[in-house]
Amino acid sequence: DLPLRYPQKDLVIYEMHLRGFTKHDSSNVEHPGTFIGAVSKLDYLKELGVNCIELMPCHEFNELEYSTSSSKMNFWGYSTINFFSPMTRYTSGGIKNCGRDAINEFKTFVREAHKRGIEVILDVVFNHTAEGNENGPILSFRGVDNTTYYMLAPKGEFYNYSGCGNTFNCNHPVVRQFIVDCLRYWVTEMHVDGFRFDLASIMTRGSSLWDPVNVYGAPIEGDMITTGTPLVTPPLIDMISNDPILGGVKLVAEAWDAGGLYQVGQFPHWNVWSEWNGKYRDIVRQFIKGTDGFAGGFAECLCGSPHLYQAGGRKPWHSINFVCAHD
């Protein structure tokens, strides 16, 4: 199995919820809602002209985090527990063979997609974990090193730039190395072709326990950076962009977060990052609705949003144009 390495300008991306794609009886697959079940539908996607699948979160996540309700489940998966494991309940084998069958099924899905000329991008969530706020459960990082892995206020409260109770401390030296190691694993071992980063603007914020000597190796001018400050050259984004493995895959940022940081057109990119173009989504919706005053904006969208990307040296294909049904 080899990476396809399509030029980004040629991608036609299909956003897929792995379970939802074949869960319904009408899919007529042997193992509905699984990686193996989705394999049997790859030829259909190929016929549609799709040459890239963006899988919504497939890392092991907590489906039952809504403990106060017996009927509510976390369907979408943006609540990661284990960043190195595929979701076992998305596989026909489940937890058999200590979960190794899940790894094999994920690899099979990627290999069969590649055989049909379809790349696979993972939607990854490095902005928060499933451990909630300071009153949440202890599942992993909170029990390992709470002050390192989360953005904490002086009295131990959790900063909540994710809107999910906690914020991953992405630019701390330990945490950013963990993220890079994880991404490398999914490229080198699982053969994915790239990543879409959920609420990626959090990865540009200054960490708590900020120390420029540890981050950059030396003091820097204006090194008094408060927790959560947007950084012009965030160390994590720098590491990913210039990594010999990760610099060659598709990197797509959802360039905003729940704390009000909106970076569409301005995400630190090193000329390798693309962005989910939320402005494209909003303008196209307004134009189709017939709202007055959006004809000019719609024309710019059709031209690749040069007002957002041209000045920064990027190209029209650095804008990932989408109108999501679930947004």
Side-chain angles (χ1 to χ4, degrees), residues 63-119:
E63 286 186 299
L64 304 177
E65 64 178 322
Y66 305 111
S67 57
T68 58
S69 172
S70 60
S71 59
K72 287 180 65 177
M73 294 183 65
N74 182 332
F75 178 76
W76 297 114
Y78 292 89
S79 202
T80 305
I81 290 178
N82 191 334
F83 293 88
F84 283 82
S85 300
M87 183 67 167
T88 53
R89 287 174 293 283
Y90 285 0
T91 66
S92 63
I95 61 173
K96 292 178 182 177
N97 196 20
C98 299
R100 285 190 289 271
D101 286 355
I103 294 174
N104 291 334
E105 285 197 26
F106 183 91
K107 288 182 176 182
T108 298
F109 175 82
V110 174
R111 184 183 68 241
E112 293 301 314
H114 286 171
K115 283 181 180 180
R116 292 161 173 82
I118 300 174
E119 292 189 335

